[in-house]
Amino acid sequence: MTQFSEPIFAELNKLYSERIVLLDGATGTELQSYKLEEEDFRGEEFKDWPCDVKGNNDLLCLTKPDLIKKVHKDYMYAGADLIETNTFNSTTISMADYQMESLVTRLNVEAARIAREAADEIEAETGVKRYVCGAVGPTNRTCSISPSVEKPEFRNITYDQLVEAYVQQIHGLLDGGADILLIETIFDTLNAKAALFAANTTLEKRGKRVPIMISGTITDASGRTLSGQTVDAFYTSMRHGEIFSIGLNCALGTEAMRPHIARLAEIGEEWVSAYPNAGLPNAMGEYDQTPEEMAGELLDFMDSQLINMVGGCCGSRPAHIAAIKKATEGKKPRAKGERNNTMVLSGLERLVVNKDTGFLNIGERCNIAGSLKFKRLIKNNDYDAAMAIAREQVESGATIIDFNLDDGLIDGEQAITKLINLCVSDPDISKVPFMVDSSNFAVIEAGLKCVQGKCIVNSLSLKGGEEAFIEQARLVKKYGAAVVVMAFDEDGQAADEADKIRICKRAYDLITGPKVRFPPEDVIFDPNVLTIATGLEEHNNYAVDFMNATKWIKENLPHAKVSGGLSNLSFSFRGVEAIRQPMHSIFLYYAIRDCGFDMAIVNAGTMPVYTDIDEEIIRLCEAAIFNKQDIGDGRTATEALTELADTLRSKKGTVEKVTEEWRTKPVAERLSHALVKGIVEFITDDVELCRLDKETYPKCLHIIEGPLMSGMSIVGDLFGSGKMFLPQVIKSARVMKKAVGHLIPFMEEEKLASGSAGASTSQGKVVLATVKGDVHDIGKNIVGVVLGCNNYEIIDLGVMTPMPKIMQAIEEHKPEIVGLSGLITPSLDEMVTVAKEFKRRKIDIPLLIGGATTSKMHTAVKLSPQYANTIHVLDASKSVVVCGSLIGHTKEEFLEDTVDMYEEMRDEYWAGIKDRKYLKIEQARDKKLVIDFKASPPVCKPKFLGSKIYEYDLEQVVPFIDWNPFFQVWQIRGKYPNRGYPKLFNCPEVGEEAKKLFDDATKLLDKICKDKSLKLKGIVSFFPVNSDGDDIKVYKDDTREEVVETFLGLRQQVQKDTTEPYYALGDFIAPPGTPDYLGQLVCACFGCQDLVDTFKADNDDYGIIMAEALADRLAEGYAEVLHRDIRRDYWGYETAPEQSADDLIKQAYKGIRPAPGYPSQPDHNEKSKMWALAPVKDDTGIELTESLAMLPAASVSAIVFGHPDSVYFGVGKIQKDQVADYAKRRNVTTEQCEHDLGFTALAYDPEGN
């Protein structure tokens, strides 16, 4: 515990070391002796209270203060040094039973004031100082246990609700004069962790410390708390909280409590307390143990020097305390425990990490990146099967379970909450400590709020700078967890030994230093296990660097631990487990034996024992691990392992020979090489050489069909097998187009000379179109390029393509396949329109569907019934496979299988919708978010009302680009632990290509900034508003007399397992009578089309897609910067320090900026109101299409809310009662509303299917 400077700590430490200190007895038991009736509890003030209040002892502080004061004095006359306030139930949670939540602050202040007065009076009378303990009870809810056997993941209270309630109580107790905080009768450790979090947060805020005492409750003979922890595990979970003492009370009599107090006395570093019941209750619920009997049993505690403080709980009265006081005379207190620098973790049981523990296996299979099966189960909501994986890992010897649910399609906070709540309900899993693993700190916090044990956070780093690192480390400490610190700083990931040591030393000094004071034994460094045997010389020493850094950490950073993810080490041999697993085992053998390596995330069940590994594999792996590349037979260790890997694959792999002499090869081979490598520099010259060789290539078409298509065939095969990545394919397409572009004029001459139009030799024709109203085509363009690389003839109809134009193209070009793309929700309806027209015209051509808002489920439910031959295509990499299946003899079978699959999916979808539970809209409104706008008023008035235009320089926005969506466009995805920018660059599989892509992007970006070819323009507006139920009324001016527009809101209706409110956007705005304001922003990146046209003229698909992707990123970055400036300057409600780009991207700010048409308000029609309220089109040139897409395509719009309680949320699916109500407010038919909201928002089928 930290040595605090407040005098009370020195006073109490002296007192506890000199004698056994006396706590009072049971206030409730003493009050019962007065036989109080209902009217006594009510008093005059509460005589008309709407419910019975008898039994609410805490209320007596208001209605019978003199009686409460007398009880306190009686206990002090009996010898008590410490008295507890009468506030065991004085939280909003417990007081809800009496409808008295509003009285909580007053109850705590008055209770502490009464106790303070009594203590001061007795001290004046006797000359002996007395202390007031603010009693903090456990509440009547449990955060670790579900009240429903059928729903083990459900909780009727959350950690955050507990913290909020405890903060309010603790402020009241301290305001009333409490000297000490006593968190007592703990039956659920997670409740107590919330109380500790609240206590330490409150004390930090107030700037004055008081001692915090902890007292748990063992509920039965098993020696565990109600939530299942052993005494050891319970203490481990409490140890972090700056506690003054640890002990037990209630539930058990003295004799049954004795072995558990003895254990706390043995392991506790703090003072130890015990205040048992006066025996066990009899059949009538009363306590029969006499004062003398209770004192006699407690003598053993004193004689064995187990305790420093003693008192009484249920059944004890002043006479019992007097008898105990007498028994303490002449007895020596327990000597205070000493600080122990051993790492101790806990689940339901304790895990001591020391030299006797051995190496710790951290189970990796509950990590989405580490197990495809686990990922599939989570995405399919099959949490029972996911739990089985966790259970299997414990059974296989995992001493800690790693939970990581990071995935772009999974709500990480919700998913980890559900999974951990389920796992803590299974004692076979929760007996071991958990590792909460995420790159998103909000997800880490969500996990920590579910775990009663002491777990590990994975991970923190200096990537975001010292300030963020310190802030997060403080929070982790306050939550009571150990922490993994990655060797990663502002400059990137540490690769060599020197950087690993430098970063770890810096992080250690910060986290254990005065700004955090994190226990050094709870700091685990991950110095980055990186991939060896890659063929790159600079990678060869990575294993040695890691082991040397590990050894240095263990020798120079006292008590710190070292961990790592072993799978990185052998990434070069992915797919060859016969090498990978032995390599891991060999690495561990030496890292543990020679360097003190403590733990690693591994699949313990698959790794062989070192002595069982083949000697030749040991020889080669050791040579690679220790960078002894010369193995004596003319080969390097890497070459030998690669050859062995090829043998073990049981099939020959082709190893491409890269040579700098490729230009010396025959021209046909040079063309093929240039296509595969994406080298455009020599393509025109080489194609011209072929054209002039009339003997080999009599016609230009022969060049295309020969070496060019041969090269593109290799590209297609490599891409299909995952050995090439999308950016490489796009570069290959650029080379191909350049080559064909050079030949076209000559081919036209040949056709004229021969009088023949020529025959097509393509795989087939594909018509592609972005549907009417939608302007986004980057995904469609990528598909077109990829299919073109695979010898399909592409007819691209562009964007905003009306249905008649698609039909015309079908008649004109006679394609084998048609593909439709769309990004915004209204595009889904337009696709339905096209599908219906296909059916009406009896067109028999496969219709492919793709785009961000599309899905296989939407295709199955909404499109396939309209036109059976409709197929959803996930991304460009799947388009080749699908098109190949639709060309030739496999077509009919493929279509039949797809129709059957979609029919099955439809049945599952409607069954799932039917089973899902919803609240009626009125019920949801009754459970809406209610903000107390008096206690938490709206933020300040904006600096102006109306609209202003802003044009920012590109250089202002570039630092705020979120690069992750950029790499998603190019379908570059790293694998754990190298997911996301910039860790992606370290991924052994895609890192090199990602870096090349990034370099190309930044090169083009630099050019764009230099020549100003793109421009940023935006409009910011502010309006006076007030809420009207779910909606927001917009006023003409601050007189608030004329309503000029109404933003309509939709409210969540899907039934929740928690007490979380059912949100609508109107909840975040104050009602009439309280002035409030709303902002909006619309911004765009202009000039992209001109840039695209330039690349198009040069047949440069790579440049086209790069330009479009960068324009999108600049527009999003511009919106982020505009929103920042709104908060800080134009509205001016945020005064926090300057935030980093990462903070903004992670939405670590006050307020929100949801966009119409997206989760918080899925109706795109609301967008038109933004254009009506502000001169968006006239002043900026940003337009809305008929389907409410924005032009230019790289545009962003948002409505800006400032209140700190506003949060991002998704409306989810809604029922017909809300749709009908919404239609009335929109003044349209219900059918129109159903059409506009569509599949993604409706919880029912409007057509009754």
mmCIF file of all heavy atoms in Angstrom, residues 795-827:
data_model
loop_
_atom_site.group_PDB
_atom_site.id
_atom_site.type_symbol
_atom_site.label_atom_id
_atom_site.label_comp_id
_atom_site.label_asym_id
_atom_site.label_seq_id
_atom_site.Cartn_x
_atom_site.Cartn_y
_atom_site.Cartn_z
ATOM 1 N N ILE A 795 -17.770 -4.680 -69.198
ATOM 2 C CA ILE A 795 -18.537 -3.520 -69.660
ATOM 3 C C ILE A 795 -18.968 -2.765 -68.417
ATOM 4 O O ILE A 795 -19.880 -3.198 -67.692
ATOM 5 C CB ILE A 795 -19.760 -3.923 -70.502
ATOM 6 C CG1 ILE A 795 -19.314 -4.671 -71.775
ATOM 7 C CG2 ILE A 795 -20.578 -2.689 -70.875
ATOM 8 C CD1 ILE A 795 -19.342 -6.158 -71.645
ATOM 9 N N ASP A 796 -18.295 -1.669 -68.145
ATOM 10 C CA ASP A 796 -18.540 -0.906 -66.911
ATOM 11 C C ASP A 796 -19.479 0.253 -67.223
ATOM 12 O O ASP A 796 -19.128 1.176 -67.963
ATOM 13 C CB ASP A 796 -17.209 -0.387 -66.357
ATOM 14 C CG ASP A 796 -17.346 0.227 -64.969
ATOM 15 O OD1 ASP A 796 -18.475 0.570 -64.572
ATOM 16 O OD2 ASP A 796 -16.318 0.368 -64.286
ATOM 17 N N LEU A 797 -20.673 0.225 -66.637
ATOM 18 C CA LEU A 797 -21.666 1.266 -66.890
ATOM 19 C C LEU A 797 -21.511 2.457 -65.962
ATOM 20 O O LEU A 797 -22.294 3.404 -66.042
ATOM 21 C CB LEU A 797 -23.083 0.677 -66.742
ATOM 22 C CG LEU A 797 -23.411 -0.530 -67.634
ATOM 23 C CD1 LEU A 797 -24.861 -0.947 -67.442
ATOM 24 C CD2 LEU A 797 -23.125 -0.236 -69.089
ATOM 25 N N GLY A 798 -20.558 2.420 -65.049
ATOM 26 C CA GLY A 798 -20.303 3.563 -64.184
ATOM 27 C C GLY A 798 -21.221 3.608 -62.976
ATOM 28 O O GLY A 798 -21.721 2.580 -62.502
ATOM 29 N N VAL A 799 -21.452 4.832 -62.490
ATOM 30 C CA VAL A 799 -22.254 5.026 -61.269
ATOM 31 C C VAL A 799 -23.637 5.579 -61.634
ATOM 32 O O VAL A 799 -23.880 6.005 -62.760
ATOM 33 C CB VAL A 799 -21.537 5.976 -60.294
ATOM 34 C CG1 VAL A 799 -20.200 5.404 -59.881
ATOM 35 C CG2 VAL A 799 -21.360 7.362 -60.893
ATOM 36 N N MET A 800 -24.528 5.563 -60.618
ATOM 37 C CA MET A 800 -25.882 6.117 -60.773
ATOM 38 C C MET A 800 -26.558 5.570 -62.041
ATOM 39 O O MET A 800 -27.146 6.303 -62.831
ATOM 40 C CB MET A 800 -25.840 7.647 -60.798
ATOM 41 C CG MET A 800 -25.317 8.264 -59.518
ATOM 42 S SD MET A 800 -25.208 10.053 -59.567
ATOM 43 C CE MET A 800 -26.926 10.497 -59.747
ATOM 44 N N THR A 801 -26.460 4.250 -62.184
ATOM 45 C CA THR A 801 -26.961 3.619 -63.411
ATOM 46 C C THR A 801 -28.450 3.281 -63.276
ATOM 47 O O THR A 801 -28.817 2.423 -62.468
ATOM 48 C CB THR A 801 -26.178 2.328 -63.712
ATOM 49 O OG1 THR A 801 -24.771 2.588 -63.600
ATOM 50 C CG2 THR A 801 -26.511 1.809 -65.093
ATOM 51 N N PRO A 802 -29.324 3.922 -64.074
ATOM 52 C CA PRO A 802 -30.753 3.592 -63.985
ATOM 53 C C PRO A 802 -31.032 2.202 -64.545
ATOM 54 O O PRO A 802 -30.276 1.688 -65.380
ATOM 55 C CB PRO A 802 -31.423 4.677 -64.834
ATOM 56 C CG PRO A 802 -30.362 5.156 -65.751
ATOM 57 C CD PRO A 802 -29.054 4.990 -65.050
ATOM 58 N N MET A 803 -32.089 1.610 -64.081
ATOM 59 C CA MET A 803 -32.413 0.249 -64.493
ATOM 60 C C MET A 803 -32.568 0.096 -66.011
ATOM 61 O O MET A 803 -32.070 -0.883 -66.588
ATOM 62 C CB MET A 803 -33.676 -0.205 -63.763
ATOM 63 C CG MET A 803 -34.029 -1.657 -63.988
ATOM 64 S SD MET A 803 -35.354 -1.792 -65.173
ATOM 65 C CE MET A 803 -36.684 -1.029 -64.246
ATOM 66 N N PRO A 804 -33.216 1.048 -66.736
ATOM 67 C CA PRO A 804 -33.312 0.893 -68.194
ATOM 68 C C PRO A 804 -31.949 0.816 -68.878
ATOM 69 O O PRO A 804 -31.788 0.098 -69.862
ATOM 70 C CB PRO A 804 -34.085 2.148 -68.626
ATOM 71 C CG PRO A 804 -34.879 2.537 -67.428
ATOM 72 C CD PRO A 804 -34.005 2.197 -66.256
ATOM 73 N N LYS A 805 -30.957 1.547 -68.356
ATOM 74 C CA LYS A 805 -29.628 1.503 -68.954
ATOM 75 C C LYS A 805 -28.991 0.125 -68.784
ATOM 76 O O LYS A 805 -28.286 -0.364 -69.678
ATOM 77 C CB LYS A 805 -28.739 2.582 -68.323
ATOM 78 C CG LYS A 805 -27.364 2.694 -68.968
ATOM 79 C CD LYS A 805 -26.557 3.845 -68.360
ATOM 80 C CE LYS A 805 -25.160 3.925 -68.997
ATOM 81 N NZ LYS A 805 -24.366 5.034 -68.417
ATOM 82 N N ILE A 806 -29.252 -0.504 -67.646
ATOM 83 C CA ILE A 806 -28.739 -1.866 -67.418
ATOM 84 C C ILE A 806 -29.388 -2.827 -68.407
ATOM 85 O O ILE A 806 -28.711 -3.680 -69.016
ATOM 86 C CB ILE A 806 -29.013 -2.305 -65.964
ATOM 87 C CG1 ILE A 806 -28.255 -1.393 -64.986
ATOM 88 C CG2 ILE A 806 -28.620 -3.766 -65.757
ATOM 89 C CD1 ILE A 806 -28.623 -1.610 -63.532
ATOM 90 N N MET A 807 -30.688 -2.688 -68.603
ATOM 91 C CA MET A 807 -31.393 -3.568 -69.539
ATOM 92 C C MET A 807 -30.885 -3.363 -70.968
ATOM 93 O O MET A 807 -30.723 -4.319 -71.735
ATOM 94 C CB MET A 807 -32.900 -3.305 -69.464
ATOM 95 C CG MET A 807 -33.507 -3.601 -68.096
ATOM 96 S SD MET A 807 -33.228 -5.321 -67.597
ATOM 97 C CE MET A 807 -32.909 -5.110 -65.852
ATOM 98 N N GLN A 808 -30.641 -2.116 -71.304
ATOM 99 C CA GLN A 808 -30.128 -1.798 -72.638
ATOM 100 C C GLN A 808 -28.756 -2.439 -72.854
ATOM 101 O O GLN A 808 -28.466 -2.990 -73.925
ATOM 102 C CB GLN A 808 -30.039 -0.281 -72.815
ATOM 103 C CG GLN A 808 -29.550 0.159 -74.185
ATOM 104 C CD GLN A 808 -29.406 1.683 -74.284
ATOM 105 O OE1 GLN A 808 -29.935 2.416 -73.457
ATOM 106 N NE2 GLN A 808 -28.698 2.141 -75.302
ATOM 107 N N ALA A 809 -27.904 -2.384 -71.828
ATOM 108 C CA ALA A 809 -26.567 -2.980 -71.936
ATOM 109 C C ALA A 809 -26.655 -4.490 -72.099
ATOM 110 O O ALA A 809 -25.842 -5.096 -72.826
ATOM 111 C CB ALA A 809 -25.750 -2.625 -70.703
ATOM 112 N N ILE A 810 -27.617 -5.108 -71.443
ATOM 113 C CA ILE A 810 -27.789 -6.560 -71.575
ATOM 114 C C ILE A 810 -28.161 -6.915 -73.011
ATOM 115 O O ILE A 810 -27.616 -7.868 -73.606
ATOM 116 C CB ILE A 810 -28.854 -7.061 -70.580
ATOM 117 C CG1 ILE A 810 -28.341 -6.926 -69.139
ATOM 118 C CG2 ILE A 810 -29.235 -8.512 -70.876
ATOM 119 C CD1 ILE A 810 -29.382 -7.197 -68.080
ATOM 120 N N GLU A 811 -29.065 -6.150 -73.596
ATOM 121 C CA GLU A 811 -29.481 -6.417 -74.972
ATOM 122 C C GLU A 811 -28.334 -6.188 -75.945
ATOM 123 O O GLU A 811 -28.143 -6.938 -76.903
ATOM 124 C CB GLU A 811 -30.669 -5.528 -75.345
ATOM 125 C CG GLU A 811 -31.968 -5.933 -74.675
ATOM 126 C CD GLU A 811 -33.162 -5.207 -75.279
ATOM 127 O OE1 GLU A 811 -33.039 -4.694 -76.408
ATOM 128 O OE2 GLU A 811 -34.195 -5.161 -74.610
ATOM 129 N N GLU A 812 -27.563 -5.138 -75.694
ATOM 130 C CA GLU A 812 -26.509 -4.755 -76.621
ATOM 131 C C GLU A 812 -25.306 -5.680 -76.553
ATOM 132 O O GLU A 812 -24.749 -6.080 -77.590
ATOM 133 C CB GLU A 812 -26.080 -3.310 -76.333
ATOM 134 C CG GLU A 812 -24.983 -2.807 -77.252
ATOM 135 C CD GLU A 812 -24.558 -1.386 -76.911
ATOM 136 O OE1 GLU A 812 -25.305 -0.675 -76.183
ATOM 137 O OE2 GLU A 812 -23.456 -0.977 -77.346
ATOM 138 N N HIS A 813 -24.880 -6.042 -75.345
ATOM 139 C CA HIS A 813 -23.612 -6.763 -75.182
ATOM 140 C C HIS A 813 -23.783 -8.265 -74.976
ATOM 141 O O HIS A 813 -22.798 -9.000 -75.046
ATOM 142 C CB HIS A 813 -22.832 -6.178 -74.005
ATOM 143 C CG HIS A 813 -22.441 -4.743 -74.196
ATOM 144 N ND1 HIS A 813 -21.420 -4.358 -75.023
ATOM 145 C CD2 HIS A 813 -22.954 -3.599 -73.672
ATOM 146 C CE1 HIS A 813 -21.291 -3.043 -74.999
ATOM 147 N NE2 HIS A 813 -22.217 -2.554 -74.183
ATOM 148 N N LYS A 814 -25.006 -8.702 -74.674
ATOM 149 C CA LYS A 814 -25.272 -10.136 -74.447
ATOM 150 C C LYS A 814 -24.286 -10.737 -73.437
ATOM 151 O O LYS A 814 -23.568 -11.699 -73.715
ATOM 152 C CB LYS A 814 -25.181 -10.916 -75.759
ATOM 153 C CG LYS A 814 -26.081 -10.407 -76.871
ATOM 154 C CD LYS A 814 -27.540 -10.644 -76.550
ATOM 155 C CE LYS A 814 -28.447 -10.334 -77.740
ATOM 156 N NZ LYS A 814 -28.473 -8.911 -78.131
ATOM 157 N N PRO A 815 -24.204 -10.177 -72.231
ATOM 158 C CA PRO A 815 -23.212 -10.655 -71.251
ATOM 159 C C PRO A 815 -23.592 -12.016 -70.676
ATOM 160 O O PRO A 815 -24.759 -12.414 -70.681
ATOM 161 C CB PRO A 815 -23.264 -9.579 -70.166
ATOM 162 C CG PRO A 815 -24.670 -9.090 -70.205
ATOM 163 C CD PRO A 815 -25.069 -9.123 -71.664
ATOM 164 N N GLU A 816 -22.569 -12.707 -70.180
ATOM 165 C CA GLU A 816 -22.820 -13.959 -69.449
ATOM 166 C C GLU A 816 -23.214 -13.682 -67.996
ATOM 167 O O GLU A 816 -23.873 -14.512 -67.365
ATOM 168 C CB GLU A 816 -21.566 -14.837 -69.466
ATOM 169 C CG GLU A 816 -21.346 -15.631 -70.749
ATOM 170 C CD GLU A 816 -20.881 -14.775 -71.904
ATOM 171 O OE1 GLU A 816 -20.343 -13.675 -71.654
ATOM 172 O OE2 GLU A 816 -21.037 -15.209 -73.061
ATOM 173 N N ILE A 817 -22.800 -12.514 -67.476
ATOM 174 C CA ILE A 817 -23.021 -12.191 -66.060
ATOM 175 C C ILE A 817 -23.272 -10.693 -65.933
ATOM 176 O O ILE A 817 -22.686 -9.895 -66.676
ATOM 177 C CB ILE A 817 -21.785 -12.584 -65.208
ATOM 178 C CG1 ILE A 817 -21.565 -14.102 -65.224
ATOM 179 C CG2 ILE A 817 -21.928 -12.102 -63.757
ATOM 180 C CD1 ILE A 817 -20.227 -14.528 -64.652
ATOM 181 N N VAL A 818 -24.133 -10.304 -64.971
ATOM 182 C CA VAL A 818 -24.344 -8.896 -64.623
ATOM 183 C C VAL A 818 -24.015 -8.720 -63.141
ATOM 184 O O VAL A 818 -24.408 -9.555 -62.314
ATOM 185 C CB VAL A 818 -25.799 -8.455 -64.893
ATOM 186 C CG1 VAL A 818 -26.028 -7.025 -64.404
ATOM 187 C CG2 VAL A 818 -26.117 -8.562 -66.373
ATOM 188 N N GLY A 819 -23.290 -7.654 -62.822
ATOM 189 C CA GLY A 819 -22.953 -7.376 -61.424
ATOM 190 C C GLY A 819 -23.431 -6.004 -61.003
ATOM 191 O O GLY A 819 -23.219 -5.020 -61.715
ATOM 192 N N LEU A 820 -24.101 -5.922 -59.839
ATOM 193 C CA LEU A 820 -24.596 -4.654 -59.306
ATOM 194 C C LEU A 820 -23.868 -4.324 -58.008
ATOM 195 O O LEU A 820 -23.625 -5.201 -57.178
ATOM 196 C CB LEU A 820 -26.102 -4.719 -59.018
ATOM 197 C CG LEU A 820 -27.023 -5.074 -60.187
ATOM 198 C CD1 LEU A 820 -28.475 -5.075 -59.709
ATOM 199 C CD2 LEU A 820 -26.831 -4.119 -61.351
ATOM 200 N N SER A 821 -23.534 -3.030 -57.832
ATOM 201 C CA SER A 821 -22.828 -2.585 -56.632
ATOM 202 C C SER A 821 -23.572 -1.419 -55.999
ATOM 203 O O SER A 821 -24.260 -0.666 -56.696
ATOM 204 C CB SER A 821 -21.407 -2.158 -57.009
ATOM 205 O OG SER A 821 -20.729 -1.619 -55.891
ATOM 206 N N GLY A 822 -23.421 -1.286 -54.684
ATOM 207 C CA GLY A 822 -24.026 -0.158 -53.968
ATOM 208 C C GLY A 822 -23.460 -0.041 -52.577
ATOM 209 O O GLY A 822 -23.108 -1.042 -51.955
ATOM 210 N N LEU A 823 -23.380 1.194 -52.091
ATOM 211 C CA LEU A 823 -22.824 1.438 -50.753
ATOM 212 C C LEU A 823 -23.880 1.847 -49.746
ATOM 213 O O LEU A 823 -23.840 1.459 -48.588
ATOM 214 C CB LEU A 823 -21.746 2.523 -50.829
ATOM 215 C CG LEU A 823 -21.067 2.883 -49.505
ATOM 216 C CD1 LEU A 823 -20.151 1.740 -49.067
ATOM 217 C CD2 LEU A 823 -20.260 4.158 -49.628
ATOM 218 N N ILE A 824 -24.861 2.661 -50.167
ATOM 219 C CA ILE A 824 -25.836 3.188 -49.219
ATOM 220 C C ILE A 824 -27.080 2.305 -49.168
ATOM 221 O O ILE A 824 -27.366 1.546 -50.097
ATOM 222 C CB ILE A 824 -26.217 4.650 -49.562
ATOM 223 C CG1 ILE A 824 -26.841 4.732 -50.947
ATOM 224 C CG2 ILE A 824 -25.013 5.562 -49.454
ATOM 225 C CD1 ILE A 824 -27.362 6.108 -51.320
ATOM 226 N N THR A 825 -27.841 2.419 -48.087
ATOM 227 C CA THR A 825 -28.995 1.550 -47.864
ATOM 228 C C THR A 825 -30.041 1.628 -48.976
ATOM 229 O O THR A 825 -30.578 0.587 -49.380
ATOM 230 C CB THR A 825 -29.638 1.884 -46.500
ATOM 231 O OG1 THR A 825 -28.625 1.863 -45.507
ATOM 232 C CG2 THR A 825 -30.702 0.866 -46.151
ATOM 233 N N PRO A 826 -30.394 2.821 -49.498
ATOM 234 C CA PRO A 826 -31.382 2.852 -50.583
ATOM 235 C C PRO A 826 -30.963 2.039 -51.805
ATOM 236 O O PRO A 826 -31.821 1.635 -52.598
ATOM 237 C CB PRO A 826 -31.478 4.346 -50.919
ATOM 238 C CG PRO A 826 -31.129 5.046 -49.653
ATOM 239 C CD PRO A 826 -30.061 4.192 -49.036
ATOM 240 N N SER A 827 -29.656 1.805 -51.951
ATOM 241 C CA SER A 827 -29.201 0.982 -53.079
ATOM 242 C C SER A 827 -29.770 -0.423 -53.002
ATOM 243 O O SER A 827 -29.979 -1.075 -54.028
ATOM 244 C CB SER A 827 -27.672 0.911 -53.102
ATOM 245 O OG SER A 827 -27.106 2.189 -53.198
#
